[in-house]
Amino acid sequence: MKSYFENYESLHDSSFEDFMAHQLSSSLCQGIPDNWNVGVRLSVRELSLVGEGSHRHLSSSIRLQIAAASIPKLPAHLCEVIVIQRLPLGVFADPFELQNPHKHKAFRDIAVFGDTNLELPSFQSNRSAVEFHIDAGFNILFMQNNGTEFNLLLPLDARYQPLDESGYSVVEIGEPDMLMRCSVEGKQHKQSCLFMSPPNEKAKSTSATVAWKIPAGMKAHAGFLSVITFVTALLSTLSIVYASMFLSGTKVSKT
């Protein structure tokens, strides 16, 4: 994602998919003529939202499969799975919460890219993405025929939504993008090779997307809420002035 945002100002699906298909794939690994002969296959087995209210968790179950004959060729102790979860407008991941080492110690690295302003409403914000790096070396060494699975739990928060007469705004979260990176010994320095599943071998999860129904304000209620807000603010101000003048024991001079 850092390389993507060095070339693009904001996150758009078309730009990102073009970046993955052309710019990123062109530098997968110079040391391997055919990037698919290692038999790497990454798939999302399950995608779901956990919890209620405006703070939820996105649960993802990811399966890594590698052809048995290719496992000895990979430097297993230097391999990692990279998962990129693109988020739609109206939803964000708190970068401060993701930095908690006790909750996310299973990840080698984790970072949020894009719009990280937590205070902006949906209609004034841009999209963001979360990138996970998961150590896969140990799992590859003991991989069975059906592969190995990684479970991710990403905490998400809902932004304030634009006005909608239905009272709700629906945002859809799609499957993450996945690849595996292995560091191999080069002649002069370590080379980093990226492996992605061939497009025709990508397996779909039971839920390709999940929908989050977020409460939104209604235009018909705007006038009423404005009056209530104004009256409440006025009464609160008068209460503070009254308490400071008559209940604090301080005498107020005429001047």
Side-chain angles (χ1 to χ4, degrees), residues 163-251:
L163 297 177
D164 194 295
E165 293 306 313
S166 66
Y168 291 94
S169 179
V170 179
V171 296
E172 293 187 346
I173 305 174
E175 292 184 353
D177 302 278
M178 301 163 292
L179 53 145
M180 186 175 74
R181 179 171 67 183
C182 290
S183 299
V184 296
E185 296 290 343
K187 294 182 179 180
Q188 297 180 350
H189 60 279
K190 290 183 178 180
Q191 287 182 321
S192 181
C193 294
L194 299 176
F195 305 102
M196 294 186 291
S197 298
N200 59 346
E201 292 186 10
K202 289 185 178 180
K204 293 293 183 181
S205 65
T206 55
S207 300
T209 61
V210 292
W212 188 349
K213 195 175 182 180
I214 304 174
M218 299 176 65
K219 190 174 182 179
H221 298 163
F224 174 74
L225 292 176
S226 298
V227 172
I228 295 297
T229 303
F230 175 78
V231 172
T232 303
L234 179 61
L235 292 177
S236 299
T237 303
L238 294 176
S239 299
I240 294 173
V241 172
Y242 177 83
S244 61
M245 293 180 62
F246 300 102
L247 302 181
S248 62
T250 303
K251 295 183 179 179

Side-chain angles (χ1 to χ4, degrees), residues 146-164:
N146 58 348
T148 184
E149 290 194 4
F150 305 92
N151 296 312
L152 305 181
L153 199 62
L154 174 62
L156 297 176
D157 293 277
R159 294 186 183 274
Y160 290 110
Q161 302 298 305
L163 297 177
D164 194 295

Side-chain angles (χ1 to χ4, degrees), residues 21 27 82-83 94 105 114-115 155 176 179-180 210 227 252:
S27 60
I82 301 176
V83 180
D94 188 344
K105 58 183 179 182
D115 195 341
L179 53 145
M180 186 175 74
V210 292
V227 172
V252 181

